[in-house]
Amino acid sequence: TLRTRATELGQKIAADIITAHDLGGYEYYGLLIVDEATSFGMYQPFWQFKGSRRFPGRPNSESVKRAMQSGWFNWVDKPEEVFLDQDGAFRGELRNYFTESGIPINWAAADAHDRTSAAERRIQHVKEQLLSTEELVEIGNDEQAHGAASARVVAGNRYIRRDGFSPSQWVFG
């Protein structure tokens, strides 16, 4: 069946975990959420805390849920539908949250992100840009890794995409 494309901000979103790497090969994780109607993206790094000390963390279902609630849902509200891949961080607590909220989840096949939605294609594009950035820039720590990922998302929000306007222009006018 053909599905309808979102026409308003926040109707349908796609989310994925993206990974940045530093010079030593250490991985830094962040959540990328992209709106289908506007292609506007939001990036949130994952952190863990021990006392007052912050360090990079590997996402799990609970941390993804918190990131979505404190970021996108706090700003735009809950979507009518969400597109997720099969990553374990999208299961469990997060899946229960969406089910209890009445939000359908459209699960993407493992290597079929490009066939799922325009938002998923934007996510793949950001991942590819981040890999290129890592090859050109020496990323030395968590701040630089998350900064590079965030910069790729912000830059993508400024590219003209549809009807002569960028995602940022569609969202903010």
Side-chain angles (χ1 to χ4, degrees):
T1 54
L2 289 174
R3 57 180 194 81
T4 58
R5 180 173 165 80
T7 56
E8 295 179 22
L9 176 67
Q11 275 182 319
K12 298 179 182 184
I13 61 169
D16 206 353
I17 307 297
I18 60 174
T19 309
H21 302 85
D22 67 11
L23 291 169
Y26 193 83
E27 295 181 329
Y28 302 95
Y29 301 94
L31 178 68
L32 176 57
I33 300 172
V34 177
D35 177 64
E36 185 179 276
T38 64
S39 291
F40 187 84
M42 175 186 281
Y43 175 81
Q44 289 192 261
F46 287 105
W47 300 103
Q48 293 179 347
F49 295 88
K50 284 193 177 171
S52 61
R53 200 177 127 213
R54 176 182 81 175
F55 60 97
R58 182 152 179 67
N60 58 35
S61 187
E62 179 61 33
S63 62
V64 173
K65 176 184 151 192
R66 275 194 317 269
M68 284 187 169
Q69 287 175 322
S70 66
W72 190 268
F73 300 166
N74 191 38
W75 178 56
V76 181
D77 206 5
K78 295 175 188 172
E80 294 174 12
E81 185 176 4
V82 65
F83 299 90
L84 303 172
D85 66 17
Q86 303 290 332
D87 190 296
F90 294 133
R91 305 261 176 204
E93 186 75 26
L94 184 66
R95 180 176 53 199
N96 294 343
Y97 173 74
F98 283 130
T99 301
E100 291 167 6
S101 299
I103 301 169
I105 301 171
N106 187 332
W107 296 104
D111 292 317
H113 294 283
D114 58 325
R115 290 187 297 258
T116 318
S117 72
E120 277 286 352
R121 287 191 295 278
R122 167 98 195 273
I123 289 169
Q124 284 304 115
H125 186 70
V126 168
K127 287 180 176 181
E128 290 167 9
Q129 288 179 324
L130 186 55
L131 285 173
S132 296
T133 301
E134 290 171 359
E135 292 172 3
L136 298 172
V137 178
E138 294 182 351
I139 296 174
N141 60 38
D142 55 352
E143 293 291 336
Q144 292 173 347
H146 288 308
S150 183
R152 298 310 323 140
V153 173
V154 169
N157 286 340
R158 293 183 178 158
Y159 296 146
I160 293 174
R161 284 238 202 321
R162 191 169 54 112
D163 298 330
F165 296 98
S166 71
S168 289
Q169 288 172 311
W170 281 109
V171 172
F172 300 114

